[in-house]
Amino acid sequence: MSRHIELFRRFAEYLRSDTFREAARHPECPTAFTRKGGKLPLPSLVAVMVCGMRMSVRAELDQFFAHLRQQAQLIHHVSEQAFAQARAKLSGAAIPKLNDWLIQQVDSVGLISRWHGLRLVAADATNIRFGLRASHVPRAAVTEQNAFALFLPGVEMTLAATLYSIGVGERQMLFEHLDQLKVDDVLLLDRGYQARWLVAALNQAVGCCRFHGHLVKV
């Protein structure tokens, strides 16, 4: 069995496990995702959310269940309201924790790139502008935010990602993600991150950094 097939098997089993269900429940919904035979069980809910939703919720749901049944025609299986209700019962930490678990599994089978035994981690931020649909419901959403991510080159996986207000600087974003790094990491940064206080903080988190072509031992 190839390593990739084994990973998918483990992932599918974990999504159906009691361990993940306990971790995925919102604290205010201790009995969520226990009913069997529902139209949108926890594994399906999470699978829809991690597939990279790019269309309307209605279109994404119809396409997802069509693919699940291996049919070319879209299937209206779950309503947008049912999806919203199920998502409200999901803990905000469920997807990040699932990502952490998956990265551990990927690393355990040797798929994460290493340089002289050190894990490569790239960090960067970008500005994102969101399009909001017209609605009569008052919204607290903003149209512009900054996104920061730690990325694992080679295996092409995101180690961690967070949205910030546009007033937060990239160095502060990185500082708040230092707990995601290990002493056997090589952190890849562009020149905009260089600062004495940040290098001092990195000294406690990683083995070395590469600032836009310059390798720095920290």
Side-chain angles (χ1 to χ4, degrees):
M1 182 182 297
S2 73
R3 291 180 293 179
H4 294 86
I5 294 176
E6 174 62 17
L7 281 172
F8 277 115
R9 185 191 65 78
R10 293 184 194 176
F11 186 68
E13 288 183 354
Y14 186 69
L15 285 179
R16 294 180 173 86
S17 69
D18 293 338
T19 301
F20 178 64
R21 184 168 62 247
E22 292 291 336
R25 290 172 179 156
H26 192 282
E28 297 180 0
C29 304
T31 61
F33 310 118
T34 56
R35 184 168 65 92
K36 296 183 179 180
K39 286 189 173 182
L40 190 61
L42 179 60
S44 296
L45 171 65
V46 172
V48 171
M49 295 179 65
V50 301
C51 281
M53 302 179 72
R54 299 177 299 276
M55 302 179 290
S56 68
V57 175
R58 167 78 281 130
E60 290 285 355
L61 289 170
D62 291 351
Q63 186 179 83
F64 173 81
F65 285 102
H67 289 166
L68 199 62
R69 298 183 185 181
Q70 298 182 348
Q71 295 184 13
Q73 185 176 0
L74 298 180
I75 297 175
H76 183 61
H77 180 72
V78 175
S79 68
E80 293 177 84
Q81 291 76 15
F83 175 77
Q85 291 174 3
R87 186 176 59 182
K89 299 175 183 178
L90 191 69
S91 168
I95 302 300
K97 287 182 178 179
L98 179 62
N99 188 65
D100 292 342
W101 178 89
L102 182 58
I103 287 176
Q104 290 177 357
Q105 299 300 310
V106 172
D107 197 17
S108 70
V109 297
L111 291 177
I112 292 182
S113 300
R114 293 187 177 271
W115 177 75
H116 294 282
L118 303 175
R119 185 177 67 168
L120 302 176
V121 182
D124 206 358
T126 189
N127 182 261
I128 297 178
R129 294 178 181 271
F130 298 95
L132 299 180
R133 293 184 297 176
S135 173
H136 65 280
V137 179
R139 296 175 180 269
V142 295
T143 59
E144 185 177 3
Q145 288 183 295
N146 289 332
F148 176 86
L150 295 175
F151 187 73
L152 301 176
V155 73
E156 307 299 305
M157 293 183 68
T158 298
L159 180 62
T162 306
L163 288 176
Y164 288 89
S165 68
I166 58 175
V168 181
E170 292 186 31
R171 295 170 183 170
Q172 180 62 30
M173 298 180 203
L174 173 58
F175 179 76
E176 294 180 9
H177 284 77
L178 293 185
D179 60 337
Q180 296 284 339
L181 302 174
K182 302 177 181 179
V183 294
D184 61 343
D185 287 343
V186 174
L187 185 59
L188 309 174
L189 303 168
D190 61 36
R191 66 181 64 185
Y193 286 93
Q194 296 185 56
R196 290 183 178 179
W197 69 267
L198 185 55
V199 172
L202 289 171
N203 185 50
Q204 307 297 321
V206 297
C208 58
C209 297
R210 184 179 185 272
F211 288 101
H212 194 68
H214 301 283
L215 193 64
V216 180
K217 178 68 176 177
V218 296

